[in-house]
Amino acid sequence: MIIDAHSHVHDPVHRHIALLDEAGVDRTVLFGTRPHPERATDLASFQHEMGILAETVSGRSTGPDGYQAAWQELEAACAAYPDRFIGFGKVRLDVPAEQIAADVEKEIVGRGFHGIGELTPPPDGAALIEPVLRAAADHGGLPVVVHGFAPTTAGDLATLATLARCHPTVPLVISQLGGLNWLTAIELARDTPNLYLDLSTANVVFAVRLAITEIPDRTLFASDAPYGDPLLARTTVERVTQPGALRDRVLGGTLADLLDL
């Protein structure tokens, strides 16, 4: 089974399915989203969507309306294609720990989602996810995915590794291979048994090769679609691996084990 470990709701959803079919991807982890760059038709509309993205990844509160709209899109997509989408739900980080625990129980476990993410704490604010990890541990070690590209800092990656060690039953995934801090991300993941890296939006192909070499059992094929392309992301993994067990694990086997698929 080929599983893309990182994608966002597309508008319209059937275009995402077409991309998965083209890439030979069986299933994909699907996150909700406020920005929709795939809707853009010109520079101005693209800049508008990127402005929303900048707010999101900077951890700035979006208010209940935008948050609820993203949830509704995610639920609709998962309901329309249950055999293709593996839903992960996001919880707010700007609420008390007790509320985070209640939200994980109600909004993630209660809705039948497979994990939590993609979380977007503010830069140098990765410690805010600690209550989420506690709640994930309380529910059998739900996987948690955290944004890894800018504005996430090298200090944030170090904080995530420390938190992962404090919650060893929770698979913690740093997305986008840690962005420009990919060397730091690889080193931290190598030394932290429950820290995983998704390989989406890697800056250089050597980063993907090195990550798979150093942590072959905890690197995950991922596209970050619509920002990345599933076919290109899969081709990158296949370019730096040989056919066989290792490639199969990176392209989906490891994630299938994590999610009991």
Coordinates of all heavy atoms in Angstrom, one line a residue, residues 176-245:
Q176 N 7.5 18.3 6.6 CA 8.4 19.0 5.7 C 9.9 18.8 6.0 O 10.7 19.7 5.7 CB 8.0 20.5 5.6 CG 6.6 20.8 5.2 CD 5.7 21.1 6.3 OE1 6.1 21.4 7.4 NE2 4.4 21.2 5.9
L177 N 10.2 17.7 6.6 CA 11.6 17.3 6.8 C 12.4 18.4 7.6 O 13.6 18.6 7.5 CB 12.3 17.0 5.5 CG 13.7 16.3 5.6 CD1 13.7 15.1 6.5 CD2 14.1 15.9 4.2
G178 N 11.6 19.2 8.4 CA 12.2 20.3 9.2 C 12.5 21.5 8.4 O 13.2 22.4 8.9
G179 N 12.1 21.6 7.1 CA 12.4 22.8 6.3 C 13.9 23.0 6.1 O 14.7 22.1 5.8
L180 N 14.3 24.3 6.2 CA 15.7 24.6 6.0 C 16.6 24.0 7.1 O 17.8 23.9 7.0 CB 15.9 26.1 6.0 CG 15.2 26.8 4.9 CD1 15.4 28.3 5.0 CD2 15.7 26.3 3.5
N181 N 16.0 23.6 8.2 CA 16.7 22.9 9.3 C 16.7 21.4 9.2 O 16.7 20.7 10.2 CB 16.1 23.4 10.7 CG 16.2 24.9 10.9 OD1 17.2 25.5 10.8 ND2 15.0 25.5 11.1
W182 N 16.8 20.9 8.0 CA 16.6 19.5 7.8 C 17.8 18.7 8.4 O 17.6 17.6 8.9 CB 16.5 19.1 6.3 CG 17.6 19.6 5.4 CD1 17.7 20.8 4.7 CD2 18.7 18.8 5.0 NE1 18.8 20.8 4.0 CE2 19.5 19.6 4.1 CE3 19.2 17.6 5.3 CZ2 20.6 19.2 3.5 CZ3 20.4 17.1 4.7 CH2 21.1 17.9 3.8
L183 N 19.0 19.2 8.4 CA 20.1 18.5 9.0 C 19.8 18.3 10.5 O 20.1 17.2 11.1 CB 21.4 19.2 8.8 CG 22.1 18.9 7.5 CD1 23.3 19.8 7.3 CD2 22.6 17.4 7.5
T184 N 19.4 19.4 11.2 CA 19.0 19.3 12.6 C 17.9 18.3 12.8 O 18.0 17.5 13.8 CB 18.6 20.7 13.1 OG1 19.7 21.6 13.0 CG2 18.2 20.6 14.6
A185 N 16.9 18.3 12.0 CA 15.8 17.4 12.1 C 16.2 16.0 12.0 O 15.8 15.1 12.8 CB 14.7 17.7 11.1
I186 N 17.1 15.7 11.1 CA 17.6 14.3 10.9 C 18.4 13.9 12.1 O 18.2 12.7 12.6 CB 18.4 14.2 9.6 CG1 17.5 14.4 8.4 CG2 19.1 12.8 9.6 CD1 18.3 14.5 7.1
E187 N 19.2 14.7 12.6 CA 20.0 14.4 13.8 C 19.2 14.1 15.0 O 19.4 13.1 15.7 CB 21.0 15.5 14.1 CG 22.0 15.2 15.2 CD 23.0 16.3 15.4 OE1 22.7 17.4 15.0 OE2 24.1 16.0 15.9
L188 N 18.2 15.0 15.2 CA 17.3 14.8 16.4 C 16.4 13.6 16.2 O 16.3 12.8 17.2 CB 16.4 16.0 16.5 CG 17.0 17.3 16.9 CD1 16.1 18.5 16.7 CD2 17.5 17.3 18.4
A189 N 15.9 13.3 15.1 CA 15.1 12.1 14.9 C 16.0 10.8 15.0 O 15.5 9.8 15.6 CB 14.5 12.1 13.5
R190 N 17.2 10.9 14.6 CA 18.1 9.7 14.7 C 18.2 9.3 16.2 O 18.3 8.1 16.5 CB 19.4 10.0 14.1 CG 20.4 8.9 14.2 CD 21.8 9.4 13.9 NE 22.2 10.4 14.9 CZ 23.3 11.2 14.7 NH1 24.0 11.2 13.6 NH2 23.6 12.1 15.7
D191 N 18.2 10.3 17.1 CA 18.5 10.1 18.5 C 17.2 10.0 19.3 O 17.3 9.9 20.6 CB 19.4 11.2 19.0 CG 20.8 11.2 18.3 OD1 21.2 10.1 17.8 OD2 21.4 12.3 18.2
T192 N 16.1 10.1 18.7 CA 14.8 10.1 19.5 C 13.9 9.0 18.9 O 13.3 9.2 17.8 CB 14.1 11.5 19.3 OG1 15.1 12.5 19.7 CG2 12.9 11.6 20.3
P193 N 13.7 7.9 19.6 CA 13.1 6.7 19.0 C 11.7 6.9 18.5 O 11.2 6.1 17.6 CB 13.1 5.7 20.1 CG 14.3 6.1 21.0 CD 14.3 7.6 20.9
N194 N 10.9 7.8 19.0 CA 9.5 8.0 18.6 C 9.3 9.3 17.8 O 8.2 9.8 17.6 CB 8.6 8.0 19.8 CG 8.9 9.1 20.8 OD1 10.0 9.4 21.1 ND2 7.8 9.8 21.3
L195 N 10.4 9.8 17.2 CA 10.3 11.0 16.4 C 10.5 10.6 14.9 O 11.4 9.9 14.6 CB 11.5 12.0 16.8 CG 11.3 13.4 16.2 CD1 10.1 14.1 16.8 CD2 12.6 14.3 16.6
Y196 N 9.5 11.0 14.1 CA 9.4 10.6 12.7 C 9.6 11.9 11.8 O 9.3 13.0 12.3 CB 8.1 10.0 12.4 CG 7.9 8.6 13.0 CD1 7.7 8.5 14.4 CD2 7.9 7.5 12.3 CE1 7.5 7.3 15.0 CE2 7.7 6.2 12.9 CZ 7.5 6.1 14.2 OH 7.4 4.9 14.8
L197 N 10.0 11.7 10.6 CA 10.1 12.8 9.6 C 9.3 12.5 8.4 O 9.4 11.4 7.8 CB 11.5 13.0 9.2 CG 12.6 13.4 10.3 CD1 13.9 13.5 9.7 CD2 12.2 14.7 11.0
D198 N 8.4 13.4 8.0 CA 7.8 13.3 6.7 C 8.6 14.0 5.7 O 9.3 15.0 6.0 CB 6.3 13.6 6.7 CG 5.9 15.1 6.3 OD1 6.6 15.7 5.5 OD2 4.9 15.6 6.9
L199 N 8.7 13.5 4.5 CA 9.7 13.9 3.5 C 9.2 15.0 2.5 O 9.8 15.2 1.5 CB 10.2 12.7 2.7 CG 10.9 11.6 3.6 CD1 11.2 10.4 2.8 CD2 12.2 12.1 4.2
S200 N 8.1 15.6 2.8 CA 7.5 16.5 1.9 C 8.3 17.8 1.8 O 9.0 18.2 2.7 CB 6.0 16.8 2.3 OG 6.0 17.5 3.6
T201 N 8.2 18.4 0.6 CA 8.8 19.7 0.3 C 10.2 19.8 0.6 O 10.7 20.9 1.1 CB 8.0 20.9 0.9 OG1 8.0 20.7 2.4 CG2 6.5 20.9 0.5
A202 N 11.0 18.7 0.5 CA 12.4 18.7 0.8 C 13.1 19.7 -0.2 O 12.8 19.7 -1.4 CB 13.0 17.3 0.6
N203 N 14.1 20.4 0.3 CA 14.8 21.5 -0.5 C 15.7 20.8 -1.5 O 15.9 21.3 -2.6 CB 15.5 22.4 0.4 CG 14.6 23.3 1.2 OD1 14.0 24.3 0.6 ND2 14.4 23.0 2.5
V204 N 16.4 19.8 -1.1 CA 17.4 19.1 -2.0 C 17.1 17.6 -1.9 O 16.8 17.1 -0.8 CB 18.8 19.5 -1.6 CG1 19.1 20.9 -1.9 CG2 19.1 19.2 -0.1
V205 N 17.4 16.9 -3.0 CA 17.2 15.5 -3.0 C 18.1 14.8 -2.0 O 17.8 13.7 -1.5 CB 17.3 14.9 -4.4 CG1 18.8 15.0 -4.9 CG2 16.8 13.5 -4.5
F206 N 19.3 15.3 -1.8 CA 20.2 14.7 -0.8 C 19.6 14.6 0.6 O 19.9 13.7 1.3 CB 21.5 15.5 -0.8 CG 22.6 14.7 -0.1 CD1 23.3 13.7 -0.7 CD2 23.0 15.0 1.2 CE1 24.3 12.9 -0.1 CE2 24.0 14.3 1.9 CZ 24.6 13.2 1.2
A207 N 18.8 15.6 0.9 CA 18.1 15.6 2.2 C 17.3 14.3 2.4 O 17.3 13.7 3.4 CB 17.3 16.8 2.5
V208 N 16.5 14.0 1.3 CA 15.7 12.8 1.4 C 16.6 11.6 1.5 O 16.3 10.7 2.3 CB 14.8 12.8 0.1 CG1 14.0 11.5 0.1 CG2 13.9 14.0 0.1
R209 N 17.6 11.5 0.7 CA 18.5 10.3 0.7 C 19.1 10.2 2.1 O 19.1 9.0 2.7 CB 19.6 10.5 -0.3 CG 20.6 9.3 -0.3 CD 21.7 9.5 -1.3 NE 21.3 9.4 -2.7 CZ 21.2 10.5 -3.5 NH1 21.6 11.7 -3.1 NH2 20.8 10.3 -4.8
L210 N 19.6 11.3 2.7 CA 20.3 11.2 4.0 C 19.3 10.8 5.1 O 19.6 10.0 6.0 CB 20.9 12.5 4.3 CG 21.8 12.6 5.6 CD1 22.9 11.6 5.5 CD2 22.3 14.0 5.8
A211 N 18.1 11.4 5.1 CA 17.1 11.0 6.1 C 16.7 9.5 6.0 O 16.7 8.9 7.1 CB 15.8 11.9 5.8
I212 N 16.5 9.0 4.8 CA 16.2 7.6 4.7 C 17.4 6.7 5.2 O 17.2 5.7 5.9 CB 15.8 7.2 3.3 CG1 14.5 7.9 3.0 CG2 15.6 5.7 3.1 CD1 14.1 7.8 1.5
T213 N 18.6 7.1 4.9 CA 19.8 6.4 5.3 C 19.9 6.3 6.8 O 20.2 5.3 7.4 CB 21.0 7.0 4.7 OG1 20.9 6.9 3.3 CG2 22.3 6.2 5.1
E214 N 19.7 7.5 7.5 CA 19.9 7.6 8.9 C 18.8 7.0 9.7 O 19.0 6.4 10.8 CB 20.1 9.1 9.3 CG 21.4 9.7 8.8 CD 22.7 9.0 9.4 OE1 22.6 8.7 10.6 OE2 23.7 8.8 8.7
I215 N 17.5 7.2 9.3 CA 16.4 6.7 10.0 C 15.4 6.0 9.1 O 14.3 6.4 8.9 CB 15.7 7.9 10.8 CG1 15.5 9.1 9.9 CG2 16.4 8.2 12.1 CD1 14.7 10.2 10.6
P216 N 15.8 4.8 8.6 CA 15.0 4.2 7.5 C 13.7 3.7 8.0 O 12.7 3.6 7.2 CB 15.9 2.9 7.2 CG 16.8 2.7 8.4 CD 17.1 4.1 8.9
D217 N 13.5 3.5 9.3 CA 12.2 3.0 9.8 C 11.3 4.2 10.3 O 10.2 3.9 10.8 CB 12.4 2.0 11.0 CG 13.0 0.7 10.5 OD1 12.8 0.4 9.4 OD2 13.8 0.1 11.3
R218 N 11.7 5.4 10.2 CA 10.9 6.5 10.7 C 10.9 7.7 9.7 O 10.8 8.9 10.1 CB 11.4 7.0 12.1 CG 11.0 6.0 13.1 CD 11.5 6.3 14.5 NE 12.9 6.1 14.7 CZ 13.8 7.0 15.0 NH1 13.4 8.3 15.0 NH2 15.1 6.7 15.1
T219 N 11.0 7.4 8.4 CA 10.9 8.4 7.4 C 9.7 8.0 6.5 O 9.4 6.9 6.2 CB 12.1 8.5 6.5 OG1 12.6 7.2 6.1 CG2 13.2 9.3 7.1
L220 N 8.8 9.0 6.2 CA 7.5 8.8 5.6 C 7.4 9.6 4.3 O 7.6 10.8 4.3 CB 6.4 9.3 6.5 CG 6.5 8.7 8.0 CD1 5.4 9.4 8.8 CD2 6.3 7.2 8.0
F221 N 7.1 8.9 3.2 CA 6.8 9.5 1.9 C 5.6 10.5 2.2 O 4.6 10.1 2.8 CB 6.4 8.4 0.9 CG 5.5 8.9 -0.2 CD1 5.8 9.9 -1.0 CD2 4.2 8.2 -0.3 CE1 4.9 10.3 -2.1 CE2 3.4 8.6 -1.3 CZ 3.7 9.6 -2.2
A222 N 5.7 11.7 1.7 CA 4.7 12.7 1.9 C 4.8 13.8 0.8 O 5.9 14.1 0.3 CB 4.8 13.3 3.2
S223 N 3.7 14.4 0.4 CA 3.7 15.4 -0.6 C 3.4 16.8 -0.2 O 3.8 17.7 -0.8 CB 2.7 15.0 -1.7 OG 1.4 15.1 -1.3
D224 N 2.7 16.9 0.9 CA 2.2 18.2 1.4 C 1.3 18.9 0.3 O 1.3 20.1 0.1 CB 3.3 19.2 1.8 CG 2.8 20.3 2.7 OD1 1.6 20.3 3.0 OD2 3.6 21.2 3.0
A225 N 0.6 18.0 -0.5 CA -0.3 18.5 -1.5 C -1.4 19.4 -0.9 O -1.9 19.1 0.2 CB -0.9 17.4 -2.3
P226 N -1.7 20.5 -1.5 CA -1.4 21.0 -2.9 C -0.1 21.8 -3.0 O 0.2 22.2 -4.1 CB -2.6 21.9 -3.2 CG -3.0 22.5 -1.9 CD -2.7 21.4 -0.9
Y227 N 0.6 21.9 -1.9 CA 1.9 22.7 -2.1 C 3.0 21.8 -2.8 O 3.9 22.4 -3.4 CB 2.4 23.1 -0.7 CG 1.3 23.9 0.1 CD1 0.5 23.3 1.0 CD2 1.2 25.3 -0.2 CE1 -0.5 24.0 1.6 CE2 0.2 26.0 0.5 CZ -0.6 25.4 1.4 OH -1.6 26.1 2.0
G228 N 2.9 20.5 -2.6 CA 3.7 19.6 -3.3 C 2.9 18.7 -4.2 O 1.7 18.8 -4.2
D229 N 3.6 17.8 -5.0 CA 2.9 17.0 -5.9 C 3.1 15.5 -5.6 O 4.3 15.1 -5.4 CB 3.3 17.3 -7.3 CG 2.6 16.4 -8.4 OD1 3.1 15.3 -8.6 OD2 1.6 16.9 -8.9
P230 N 2.1 14.7 -5.4 CA 2.3 13.3 -5.0 C 3.2 12.5 -6.0 O 4.0 11.7 -5.5 CB 0.9 12.7 -5.0 CG 0.0 13.9 -4.8 CD 0.6 15.0 -5.5
L231 N 3.1 12.7 -7.3 CA 3.9 12.0 -8.2 C 5.4 12.4 -8.1 O 6.3 11.6 -8.0 CB 3.4 12.3 -9.7 CG 4.2 11.6 -10.8 CD1 4.3 10.1 -10.6 CD2 3.7 12.0 -12.1
L232 N 5.6 13.7 -8.0 CA 7.0 14.1 -7.8 C 7.6 13.7 -6.5 O 8.8 13.3 -6.4 CB 7.1 15.7 -7.9 CG 6.7 16.3 -9.2 CD1 6.8 17.8 -9.1 CD2 7.6 15.8 -10.3
A233 N 6.8 13.7 -5.4 CA 7.3 13.3 -4.1 C 7.6 11.8 -4.1 O 8.6 11.3 -3.6 CB 6.3 13.6 -3.0
R234 N 6.7 11.0 -4.8 CA 7.0 9.5 -4.8 C 8.3 9.3 -5.7 O 9.1 8.4 -5.3 CB 5.8 8.8 -5.4 CG 6.1 7.3 -5.6 CD 4.9 6.6 -6.1 NE 5.2 5.1 -6.3 CZ 4.4 4.2 -6.7 NH1 3.1 4.5 -6.9 NH2 4.8 3.0 -6.8
T235 N 8.4 10.0 -6.8 CA 9.5 9.8 -7.7 C 10.8 10.1 -6.9 O 11.9 9.5 -7.1 CB 9.4 10.7 -8.9 OG1 8.2 10.3 -9.6 CG2 10.6 10.5 -9.8
T236 N 10.8 11.1 -6.1 CA 12.0 11.5 -5.3 C 12.4 10.4 -4.4 O 13.6 10.0 -4.3 CB 11.8 12.8 -4.5 OG1 11.4 13.9 -5.3 CG2 13.0 13.1 -3.7
V237 N 11.5 9.8 -3.7 CA 11.8 8.6 -2.8 C 12.4 7.5 -3.7 O 13.4 6.8 -3.3 CB 10.6 8.2 -2.1 CG1 10.8 6.8 -1.3 CG2 10.2 9.2 -1.0
E238 N 11.7 7.2 -4.8 CA 12.2 6.1 -5.6 C 13.6 6.4 -6.3 O 14.3 5.4 -6.6 CB 11.1 5.8 -6.7 CG 9.9 5.2 -6.1 CD 8.8 5.0 -7.1 OE1 8.8 5.5 -8.2 OE2 7.8 4.2 -6.7
R239 N 13.9 7.7 -6.5 CA 15.2 8.0 -7.0 C 16.3 7.7 -6.1 O 17.4 7.4 -6.5 CB 15.2 9.5 -7.4 CG 16.4 10.0 -8.0 CD 16.6 9.5 -9.4 NE 17.7 10.1 -10.1 CZ 18.2 9.7 -11.2 NH1 17.7 8.7 -11.8 NH2 19.2 10.4 -11.8
V240 N 16.0 7.8 -4.8 CA 17.1 7.6 -3.8 C 17.1 6.3 -3.1 O 17.8 6.0 -2.1 CB 17.1 8.8 -2.8 CG1 17.3 10.1 -3.5 CG2 15.9 8.7 -1.9
T241 N 16.2 5.4 -3.5 CA 16.1 4.0 -2.9 C 16.1 3.0 -4.0 O 15.8 3.3 -5.2 CB 14.8 3.9 -2.1 OG1 13.7 4.1 -2.9 CG2 14.8 4.8 -0.9
Q242 N 16.4 1.8 -3.6 CA 16.3 0.6 -4.6 C 14.9 -0.1 -4.3 O 14.4 -0.1 -3.2 CB 17.4 -0.3 -4.3 CG 18.8 0.2 -4.7 CD 18.9 0.6 -6.1 OE1 18.5 -0.1 -7.0 NE2 19.5 1.7 -6.4
P243 N 14.4 -0.8 -5.3 CA 13.2 -1.6 -5.1 C 13.5 -2.6 -3.9 O 14.5 -3.2 -3.8 CB 13.0 -2.3 -6.4 CG 13.6 -1.4 -7.4 CD 14.8 -0.9 -6.7
G244 N 12.5 -2.8 -3.1 CA 12.6 -3.7 -2.0 C 12.0 -3.2 -0.7 O 11.2 -2.3 -0.7
A245 N 12.4 -3.9 0.4 CA 11.7 -3.7 1.7 C 11.8 -2.3 2.2 O 10.9 -1.7 2.7 CB 12.2 -4.7 2.7

